[in-house]
Amino acid sequence: MNTKVIIGKYKSEDVIYASSSGGAFTVLYEYAFANNYLVYGVKFDKDFKVKHSRATTIEECEEFRKSKYVLSDMKSIYHQMASDLGNGKSVLFTGTPCQCAAISNYLQLKHIETDKLLLVDLICHGAPNQRIFDEYRRENQNDKLFVGSDYKGTDRFKAYEKYFEDKGVEIVYFPYTKGTSSTQLRQLIADENKRM
């Protein structure tokens, strides 16, 4: 398998703001849909569980944006991805290096051709499992959840509002301020280091 490393960021500040890694995933799924790929990525489900799932639209892919910092549940996608590839569809899969290896090994064991599979692994910082995340949430129950205002009105956060409604948790949306973007701060630091 050939490995290629690409570094960059999206040109739109709106996309950078709605992303965790400079909009890299947005570039990937836009490319994928322009070239008739199905996209597999990670999202929170309605119960705040982190799961891999399949997207067939750009709107569905937007739920895959932002880092989740928890190793995702992939059980539901192995068979589906094998079926997609077996039916000649092109597939883009994003995940941690060990998840990409797991997908690759599974497809090899099932004798599924992978010429139409594009694996994109993310730099892994040692993602904990869902059980640890759930335990942390239980031990640190609060009555407010603070998130950026870019999430307000999204299907995902409408679902969270409904989920937390009977649990006494209010979602507080902080307004976007250009001056506090971690992506922009990282870029400023990188630019300054280049000048030194």
Side-chain angles (χ1 to χ4, degrees), residues 17-18 66 146-154 157 171-177:
Y17 172 66
K66 299 268 188 191
F146 297 96
V147 296
S149 61
D150 57 321
Y151 285 116
K152 189 170 187 161
T154 63
F157 270 81
I171 298 179
V172 178
Y173 296 95
F174 280 119
Y176 171 65
T177 54

Side-chain angles (χ1 to χ4, degrees), residues 131-143:
R131 186 181 44 108
I132 292 170
F133 180 62
D134 291 343
E135 187 176 312
Y136 171 81
R137 285 181 49 230
R138 271 191 305 280
E139 290 176 2
N140 295 283
Q141 284 293 336
N142 295 301
D143 60 356

Side-chain angles (χ1 to χ4, degrees), residues 13-184:
E13 284 192 33
D14 291 337
V15 170
I16 291 171
Y17 172 66
S19 304
S20 296
S21 302
F25 182 69
T26 302
V27 172
L28 292 170
Y29 73 68
E30 286 177 347
Y31 169 86
F33 282 110
N35 291 281
N36 298 313
Y37 279 71
L38 296 171
V39 178
Y40 286 81
V42 179
K43 68 178 188 175
F44 287 108
D45 71 7
K46 64 179 179 52
D47 296 320
F48 221 58
K49 303 291 184 194
V50 181
K51 295 187 175 188
H52 255 88
S53 65
R54 176 185 186 240
T56 58
T57 68
I58 285 181
E59 292 76 25
E60 290 172 327
C61 279
E62 289 174 358
E63 292 185 64
F64 298 158
R65 285 180 175 166
K66 299 268 188 191
S67 296
K68 310 304 183 289
Y69 303 108
V70 175
L71 199 59
S72 63
D73 180 350
M74 293 184 16
K75 287 183 281 226
S76 66
I77 66 159
Y78 285 100
H79 178 72
Q80 188 175 34
M81 187 182 299
S83 176
D84 287 340
L85 290 165
N87 290 324
K89 300 195 186 274
S90 297
V91 171
L92 166 67
F93 174 87
T94 60
T96 62
C98 62
Q99 290 173 320
C100 288
I103 286 291
S104 184
N105 289 339
Y106 174 80
L107 296 170
Q108 186 177 9
L109 284 171
K110 295 290 183 182
H111 306 286
I112 303 292
E113 186 60 50
T114 57
D115 287 349
K116 293 188 173 191
L117 174 62
L118 180 56
L119 292 174
V120 178
D121 60 15
L122 311 167
I123 296 174
C124 180
H125 302 288
N129 67 30
Q130 184 74 45
R131 186 181 44 108
I132 292 170
F133 180 62
D134 291 343
E135 187 176 312
Y136 171 81
R137 285 181 49 230
R138 271 191 305 280
E139 290 176 2
N140 295 283
Q141 284 293 336
N142 295 301
D143 60 356
K144 296 199 185 321
L145 172 65
F146 297 96
V147 296
S149 61
D150 57 321
Y151 285 116
K152 189 170 187 161
T154 63
D155 289 342
R156 183 167 104 194
F157 270 81
K158 285 179 189 174
Y160 293 153
E161 287 170 7
K162 186 173 181 152
Y163 174 77
F164 286 124
E165 190 174 58
D166 64 342
K167 294 167 181 55
V169 177
E170 174 191 4
I171 298 179
V172 178
Y173 296 95
F174 280 119
Y176 171 65
T177 54
K178 289 185 179 184
T180 59
S181 165
S182 60
T183 302
Q184 290 174 341

